[in-house]
Amino acid sequence: MEKTEKYLQIENVSMVFDTKRGRFKALQDINLTINRGEFVSVIGHSGCGKSTVLNLIAGLLAPADGVMLCAGREIAGPGPERAVVFQNHSLLPWLTCFDNVYLAVERVFADKESKAKLSERTRAALALVGLTHAELKYPGEISGGMKQRVGIARALAMEPKVLLLDEPFGALDALTRANLQDELMKIVTATQSTVVMVTHDVDEAVLLSDRIVMMTNGPAATIGEILEVNLPRPRERLKLAENRHYNKLRSEVLTFLYERHAHKLAA
């Protein structure tokens, strides 16, 4: 699929929070266009407003200034065309994996489809993340990686046009994280979703993304640079480890983060 159709547009967006110490300007002059089917990662040091950008796209926050558009329509709040997967999977512990996903499916499609069709959608989403065998298990009976896959299945079951990922693998061990990154690449290829992912992980950003948005430090953080990740797909992590261009891209992100915009710790 050609990734040339503009789908998400962020124009001159700023974000201000009222705090006990007064008004805090988190973001300033954010301008970004994301095309349909594109995978974009947002990276930067803690406090640079990465998650704030994601929450603005999700409609969980309203910008202080500027315009946010999705498919040509202003983002005025949450909508089923934009699904969020957080670092904390947020599963309901008293529901099975199936029921956690079904709850989201029912909310979006109950007025349009039969219960049999809703169940079919739920099972298809669980199959997509490889959890058919665990659909009747409760969250307390499965691993952290499996819980996060249920969270991804729940988001995908709503058939969103945009998948928003807020450090979805940040709490997982390195091996589980790598396995889920590989699965995510396959899922995104299959669904052709537009993806925006917040991450701290440079290797994750380069492996998964079409572009990497690098944020300056806050307050009043903005987009410092945008890096095109012109590596062919499908991508295999073992082959990329020895790929010169992959390592050049990785070095460019590290240079931005640790030289041009090094995080200054408070004394």
Side-chain angles (χ1 to χ4, degrees):
M1 181 178 66
E2 282 296 316
K3 299 172 183 178
T4 56
E5 180 187 346
K6 294 179 181 179
Y7 197 70
L8 282 171
Q9 293 168 271
I10 305 174
E11 301 175 359
N12 302 314
V13 164
S14 298
M15 188 66 205
V16 177
F17 294 100
D18 290 316
T19 72
K20 292 180 180 179
R21 297 185 178 182
R23 288 169 68 77
F24 175 78
K25 193 163 202 176
L27 298 172
Q28 179 172 294
D29 298 331
I30 302 293
N31 288 280
L32 179 65
T33 297
I34 297 173
N35 293 333
R36 186 186 292 275
E38 193 174 17
F39 195 123
V40 173
S41 288
V42 183
I43 197 167
H45 294 290
S46 295
C48 73
K50 303 184 297 296
S51 292
T52 301
V53 170
L54 203 77
N55 287 333
L56 285 165
I57 297 172
L60 300 174
L61 294 173
D65 294 294
V67 177
M68 310 269 308
L69 301 173
C70 180
R73 296 183 178 182
E74 185 173 2
I75 296 173
E81 76 282 0
R82 288 162 283 127
V84 188
V85 178
F86 296 102
Q87 182 173 336
N88 179 352
H89 49 78
S90 302
L91 301 182
L92 299 175
W94 59 87
L95 296 180
T96 63
C97 296
F98 178 92
D99 289 333
N100 267 285
V101 177
Y102 185 89
L103 197 65
V105 170
E106 187 178 43
R107 180 153 194 152
V108 176
F109 298 107
D111 294 338
K112 309 170 190 174
E113 298 177 353
S114 67
K115 288 187 177 181
K117 180 62 177 177
L118 299 181
S119 293
E120 183 183 322
R121 281 186 181 276
T122 301
R123 291 195 171 93
L126 287 166
L128 195 60
V129 299
L131 286 179
T132 298
H133 66 286
E135 68 174 43
L136 298 182
K137 291 183 180 290
Y138 291 88
E141 299 174 326
I142 60 177
S143 68
M146 291 171 74
K147 289 174 187 173
Q148 200 62 334
R149 279 194 277 165
V150 176
I152 294 170
R154 180 174 56 190
L156 293 172
M158 296 186 288
E159 294 189 354
K161 299 293 188 266
V162 183
L163 186 60
L164 302 170
L165 307 172
D166 194 354
E167 297 194 62
F169 312 133
L172 303 174
D173 65 87
L175 185 57
T176 302
R177 183 185 187 113
N179 288 335
L180 286 181
Q181 289 166 352
D182 292 340
E183 284 192 32
L184 181 62
M185 283 192 284
K186 294 175 186 175
I187 289 166
V188 171
T189 298
T191 60
Q192 297 290 291
S193 297
T194 304
V195 183
V196 184
M197 180 181 72
V198 164
T199 183
H200 277 102
D201 188 318
V202 173
D203 290 300
E204 180 172 81
V206 178
L207 175 68
L208 298 177
S209 307
D210 295 308
R211 287 188 296 157
I212 302 173
V213 174
M214 296 178 277
M215 302 287 294
T216 63
N217 296 327
T222 193
I223 294 173
E225 294 180 29
I226 299 178
L227 181 67
E228 297 277 347
V229 184
N230 49 352
L231 294 167
R233 295 183 185 274
R235 296 174 185 170
E236 297 180 35
R237 69 174 63 244
L238 293 179
K239 290 182 179 179
L240 286 176
E242 304 299 325
N243 183 295
R244 284 187 181 181
H245 189 51
Y246 171 86
N247 285 298
K248 180 177 181 293
L249 293 168
R250 184 177 181 276
S251 178
E252 287 186 40
V253 180
L254 289 170
T255 299
F256 176 90
L257 293 174
Y258 297 105
E259 287 186 9
R260 293 199 290 277
H261 290 277
H263 197 285
K264 295 181 176 64
L265 297 176

